[in-house]
Amino acid sequence: MSNHKELTQIYLDANATTPVLPEAASAAMAAMQTLFGNPSSSHITGLKAKDLMEQTRRRAQTLLGTGKGKLIFTSGATEGIQTSILSALIAAKPLVDAAPLSADKSYCVLYGATEHKAIPESLKHWLSVLDIKAEVIAIPVDEYGILDHEFISQHAANALMICTMAVNNETGVFQDLQLLEQTIRTANPSIFWMVDCVQALGKTQLDLQTTTIDYAPFSGHKLYAPKGIGFVYIRDSAPFTPFIAGGGQESGLRSGTENLPGMAALNVIFDMLLRSEGSAFSNTQTLHRFRQQIVTTLTECFPRIVFNNSFEHSVATTINFAVPSFSSKEIMDLFDAANIRVSSGSACSSKVTRSFVLDAMGLPAWQSESAIRMSFGPAMTQADVDTACARIKMASQALTQSCMVLAHNKISDKTQLEGLLQLRSGASCTWVYADSKSKQALIIDPLPELQQRLDTLLQCQQLTPIAIIDTHGHADHVSGREVLANRYLAEQDSDMLGWPYSSKTVSYAGAELEAISLGDLQLIKVPTPGHTSDSISLMLCSTNGEQPSTKYAFCGDTILMGSLGRTNFDSSSSVALFNSLKLLNRTLKADTLICASHDYNNEFTTTLATELSRNTLLKAVLQDQLSQTDFVKRKAELDSHLNDQTGSEIMCGAYIGSCDKSAILEYDASSLAKAIANNAGVKVIDIREPHEYVLTRSKDPNQNVPLTRLVQFIHDHQDQKDQPWVLVCRSGSRSMVAAQAMHRLGFAKISHLKGGYALSH
Ligand code: PLP
């Protein structure tokens, strides 16, 4: 995709992993090409390899002050964690077997609630494998992420092992290890204590011999060494059982031919950390200054930003924040477009959308759901920080331009909004229709989570809402209507759903119905009870002809994509729904776009024709094949299978649709280039949001149709269903979803770019 502008990458995700430092990469390369010997070989090549290995070990021992303790090379911290936990539990087992506690008390193992998942998972795994009956207990943390010492004092006496971390990977929060040691040892002098030091290396000073820490795992790839090398410290007096047996390497403590290239890289890193001059690493004071500069820029760009970590309690290299009314996915997409790499939620798993670390700290749910982590390493330079800050400013300007945040100074080049906008929070939708000529807007089903965004949008676009309406009294969430209506429509008299009393009467589908005007359009209210007794459908119609012609039908929860609204609420009536469905059938054309208030399966919109092809119940009703009584029976049966909760959302309709991914043609970069060369009709559509699009737009840009505007695009191109459009986004996931939605609506030649822009450069 050559016409996609690429900026140099700013990497701010060092707590996930780091690039290999050039000096370390050269050393690793030399260890592969010249110093490639097996340290166990007794010839000169082997001896040289062994010498490099032992020099690396000595440097690590000096750096960490290991004293008489052992230092064993591993494949990474996860292995170090296994080795430590396995060793401690094997040593503890005889005690548990020989001296069980009383019937109402059992042994336990303790770990910090914000620990990396490798800790509790390994504890559970080895307790089960070793058949040790011990409870796995999380030690709570306070709002700063500091361990509850009182809790440790209460539980440590019966604990076989305690696992804590020196520095947290999501927040950078450090524990006072000296104080922790006092608490632990006072409560239980013989408990095995492991400290995960992965995120502490190079960021805090460690002198392990002066502590009673029994095990301390480390990882190379978090500090500019390659993946696949780590090391673990074992206190002189701590029990040890080899985790990997075999050829007897590492004095029999960890078998397997050593990873010499990894060690050679670590050797360079240790040397840099030990040097006071000529190191690529900045000192702590400088790192603090870097963080402050980034924090100041973030605060200028996002004035409502909330920082999730206390800088006083965290190492200088981590910033964790959330921006109200932005999901972490949105910020990630924005920063990725500005070519700034950050991470979201629980950074170790891209699927998890909230942070268990921030949850454990008791932060509000939205902060955990919207969390973004920026982290850098000690090799960060002033130039990198300056570029990062310039890029953050670019990203925020792009947001301002697309009216996602309000500028302090009025922005002149903002994109004028015209037509339909679909906003969502989770699987619920808010619809906005803007008429740029009259500067009027209509808001349907405003979600409380979107209040701020709607407010910003209205102000930025200088739009006046003519009405803010709910399609029904929502059972699953509080409406955001009242707050917005109080702000914008304080003078307007309306009913409970926000329908203005000042409406007029028009003829529509053979009935006299209430209507209001929006520019040249009319919004007509059609009562469609069933899901709730107050349910209405709102028809946005053009009035050029004799009869109003419906552009969009906002049917709330009456007809949802792949389902019908549930009718088992107190104010529901399946008889009324039966009649409302028939009414909608008389009112709507087969291809009128139905805009529902939920979208559980990312389908954006639907039509009666699409629903008839897959919703057998609806089809039976609309084709008069089912009596009202039989409908009521079948609907009750369907609703009885409804999950009341999916995650935090109450399902408002049973989904019966399915999506066939194989129907969507997928291109990679080269097959797409060929298709474009061979067929002039193939057109690429960039479906990222406008702020992502402007950040990477080239001189010859692809058309931009953001997902929030997809329904409008579908409406405007209903007569071009044979166009070979290729949808493209950042990673290929949004484009696949949009292509499926359009395919379902009859766009037969829709396709997408697999892997998105990310894989096409
Ligand atoms: N512990 C912490 C705190 C970490 O951040 C990580 C890495 O994500 C690990 C353990 C696991 O390290 P490795 O990738 O070397 O197995």
Side-chain angles (χ1 to χ4, degrees):
M1 300 298 302
S2 57
N3 60 350
H4 178 250
K5 188 170 73 187
E6 187 71 20
L7 301 159
T8 52
Q9 172 182 285
I10 296 295
Y11 186 78
L12 290 175
D13 200 15
N15 289 8
T17 194
T18 51
V20 178
L21 210 64
E23 295 88 331
S26 305
M29 188 58 94
M32 286 190 272
Q33 293 180 326
T34 44
L35 267 175
F36 60 85
N38 185 330
S40 299
S41 301
S42 50
H43 48 62
I44 290 177
T45 314
L47 291 176
K48 281 186 176 168
K50 184 161 186 186
D51 184 52
L52 174 63
M53 181 170 83
E54 291 314 327
Q55 189 194 49
T56 310
R57 196 188 317 274
R58 279 195 302 279
R59 282 188 171 164
Q61 286 167 329
T62 310
L63 180 71
L64 304 173
T66 54
K68 288 194 200 146
K70 303 178 201 54
L71 193 130
I72 304 168
F73 290 108
T74 62
S75 62
T78 303
E79 185 193 322
I81 290 165
Q82 307 309 304
T83 297
S84 308
I85 290 178
L86 180 68
S87 296
L89 294 184
I90 286 179
K93 184 168 165 66
L95 170 76
V96 183
D97 290 345
L101 295 175
S102 57
D104 58 336
K105 259 202 182 136
S106 64
Y107 286 104
C108 67
V109 288
L110 300 173
Y111 73 99
T114 60
E115 220 74 10
H116 188 278
K117 281 289 174 212
I119 310 293
E121 292 310 311
S122 304
L123 284 170
K124 284 183 235 160
H125 177 71
W126 291 114
L127 282 171
S128 154
V129 170
L130 296 170
D131 194 24
I132 299 175
K133 304 267 169 301
E135 214 183 326
V136 181
I137 300 179
I139 309 160
V141 295
D142 66 12
E143 74 261 45
Y144 302 115
I146 308 295
L147 287 166
D148 183 339
H149 285 226
E150 188 119 349
F151 187 92
I152 296 173
S153 301
Q154 279 167 15
H155 292 80
N158 294 332
L160 305 172
M161 183 177 198
I162 179 164
C163 302
T164 64
M165 71 199 310
V167 173
N168 183 270
N169 46 311
E170 285 190 36
T171 56
V173 167
F174 53 77
Q175 304 294 326
D176 181 338
L177 291 178
Q178 254 181 327
L179 202 64
L180 194 55
E181 179 169 40
Q182 261 177 34
T183 306
I184 294 171
R185 294 305 175 204
T186 307
N188 185 342
S190 58
I191 189 173
F192 299 122
W193 181 24
M194 181 179 81
V195 180
D196 176 343
C197 290
V198 169
Q199 300 288 348
L201 187 65
K203 296 162 200 166
T204 55
Q205 207 67 37
L206 291 166
D207 189 13
L208 294 168
Q209 64 193 320
T210 62
T211 73
T212 59
I213 294 170
D214 293 297
Y215 307 96
F218 294 84
S219 177
H221 73 98
K222 308 283 183 180
L223 201 75
Y224 307 107
K227 286 143 195 81
I229 186 75
F231 48 101
V232 59
Y233 159 83
I234 300 129
R235 192 182 171 198
D236 190 30
S237 58
F240 189 82
T241 301
F243 178 59
I244 304 178
Q249 287 88 346
E250 293 288 89
S251 310
L253 300 180
R254 198 272 187 186
S255 287
T257 302
E258 296 87 343
N259 174 358
L260 208 68
M263 292 175 192
L266 272 183
N267 190 303
V268 171
I269 303 298
F270 292 149
D271 180 46
M272 295 224 179
L273 290 171
L274 287 166
R275 259 196 262 167
S276 52
E277 274 178 26
S279 161
F281 296 157
S282 296
N283 62 28
T284 314
Q285 210 183 354
T286 310
L287 296 177
H288 273 287
R289 222 185 48 235
F290 289 165
R291 172 162 70 182
Q292 192 47 52
Q293 187 178 337
I294 297 174
V295 164
T296 305
T297 305
L298 282 169
T299 312
E300 272 166 25
C301 291
F302 304 99
R304 300 172 65 234
I305 196 168
V306 174
F307 292 99
N308 296 326
N309 60 336
S310 144
F311 300 148
E312 194 190 325
H313 294 97
S314 56
V315 291
T317 45
T318 306
I319 303 167
N320 194 314
F321 67 88
V323 182
S325 77
F326 283 91
S327 69
S328 50
K329 165 91 173 62
E330 284 170 321
I331 298 282
M332 283 274 291
D333 286 342
L334 171 74
F335 281 176
D336 233 7
N339 236 345
I340 308 170
R341 307 285 178 255
V342 295
S343 67
S344 69
S346 176
C348 290
S349 160
S350 56
K351 292 207 173 70
V352 179
T353 53
R354 55 186 297 146
S355 156
F356 74 88
V357 170
L358 301 183
D359 287 347
M361 287 161 63
L363 298 193
W366 79 266
Q367 271 173 255
S368 170
E369 281 158 13
S370 310
I372 292 287
R373 178 187 70 184
M374 279 184 166
S375 54
F376 53 90
M380 186 78 165
T381 64
Q382 182 64 55
D384 288 341
V385 176
D386 291 343
T387 315
C389 291
R391 218 55 88 60
I392 293 167
K393 282 181 191 160
M394 266 172 68
S396 90
Q397 260 161 18
L399 275 188
T400 324
Q401 218 171 313
S402 57
C403 286
M404 300 277 280
V405 292
L406 268 186
H408 300 299
N409 313 317
K410 277 223 167 69
I411 285 260
S412 54
D413 59 346
K414 69 180 170 229
T415 323
Q416 188 84 55
L417 180 65
E418 171 63 44
L420 190 64
L421 183 71
Q422 181 181 27
L423 299 176
R424 25 167 102 215
S425 174
S428 299
C429 306
T430 292
W431 298 90
V432 177
Y433 193 93
D435 180 61
S436 59
K437 206 162 83 191
S438 66
K439 290 266 167 209
Q440 289 179 331
L442 167 72
I443 300 174
I444 294 173
D445 286 328
L447 292 157
E449 299 83 356
L450 297 173
Q451 262 165 21
Q452 182 65 39
R453 185 163 299 182
L454 290 166
D455 196 24
T456 305
L457 181 79
L458 292 173
Q459 287 187 51
C460 174
Q461 292 281 342
Q462 292 161 315
L463 290 166
T464 308
I466 51 143
I468 302 169
I469 309 170
D470 279 323
T471 51
H472 57 289
H474 297 281
D476 60 329
H477 65 262
V478 181
S479 168
R481 202 190 71 74
E482 211 167 296
V483 173
L484 282 171
N486 285 345
R487 192 167 310 153
Y488 289 98
L489 299 169
E491 307 292 306
Q492 187 183 72
D493 268 345
S494 64
D495 66 13
M496 294 288 282
L497 296 177
W499 181 263
Y501 288 130
S502 57
S503 58
K504 57 193 174 191
T505 304
V506 295
S507 297
Y508 178 76
E512 294 298 301
L513 295 165
E514 290 174 56
I516 52 174
S517 297
L518 170 66
D520 295 335
L521 305 176
Q522 270 182 346
L523 186 75
I524 301 172
K525 181 174 87 163
V526 181
T528 44
H531 174 63
T532 59
S533 57
D534 62 359
S535 288
I536 53 174
S537 291
L538 296 162
M539 310 299 178
L540 190 63
C541 303
S542 57
T543 50
N544 293 344
E546 303 261 293
Q547 273 290 315
S549 147
T550 314
K551 283 163 79 83
Y552 302 104
F554 302 97
C555 293
D557 286 357
T558 300
I559 297 179
L560 297 160
M561 275 76 81
S563 68
L564 299 175
R566 67 193 289 170
T567 39
N568 56 356
F569 291 136
D570 284 350
S571 79
S572 298
S573 157
S574 45
V575 171
L577 182 68
F578 181 84
N579 295 327
S580 293
L581 294 175
K582 288 195 178 273
L583 171 68
L584 286 175
N585 193 35
R586 288 195 299 276
T587 313
L588 301 179
K589 291 201 198 119
D591 64 352
T592 305
L593 294 182
I594 296 173
C595 303
S597 59
H598 293 284
D599 183 4
Y600 294 111
N601 198 42
N602 280 321
E603 299 192 19
F604 301 89
T605 184
T606 193
T607 61
L608 278 182
T610 305
E611 293 309 308
L612 282 177
S613 70
R614 63 177 178 173
N615 188 335
T616 48
L617 182 59
L618 180 66
K619 185 174 171 192
V621 173
L622 301 192
Q623 297 187 346
D624 296 326
Q625 292 157 357
L626 196 66
S627 71
Q628 196 178 70
T629 321
D630 286 343
F631 173 76
V632 170
K633 265 195 229 146
R634 278 184 57 183
K635 190 69 183 31
E637 161 67 10
L638 254 184
D639 285 347
S640 71
H641 298 304
L642 261 181
N643 264 344
D644 261 1
Q645 300 280 160
T646 55
S648 58
E649 289 180 271
I650 301 175
M651 294 290 282
C652 286
Y655 181 72
I656 50 108
S658 64
C659 38
D660 178 12
K661 285 192 180 175
S662 63
I664 307 299
L665 176 64
E666 294 192 299
Y667 285 108
D668 60 21
S670 74
S671 60
L672 178 56
K674 267 191 217 136
I676 292 171
N678 293 339
N679 178 357
V682 173
K683 230 175 115 188
V684 174
I685 298 182
D686 186 329
I687 58 148
R688 295 172 306 157
E689 288 307 302
H691 45 273
E692 296 169 70
Y693 173 75
V694 294
L695 283 165
T696 48
R697 182 175 48 194
S698 66
K699 279 200 202 90
D700 176 23
N702 298 317
Q703 186 183 352
N704 181 218
V705 181
L707 286 189
T708 41
R709 308 278 283 146
L710 190 69
V711 179
Q712 162 100 44
F713 181 82
I714 291 170
H715 173 268
D716 294 347
H717 298 84
Q718 292 266 55
D719 55 352
Q720 295 175 48
K721 288 195 169 153
D722 276 333
Q723 279 294 317
W725 282 307
V726 186
L727 307 185
V728 184
C729 67
R730 182 179 70 107
S731 70
S733 105
R734 282 177 284 179
S735 57
M736 176 48 124
V737 162
Q740 282 176 326
M742 289 184 71
H743 192 267
R744 221 174 271 121
L745 290 164
F747 290 81
K749 293 188 180 158
I750 199 84
S751 60
H752 91 125
L753 177 67
K754 194 176 178 183
Y757 287 121
L759 301 189
S760 64
H761 296 284

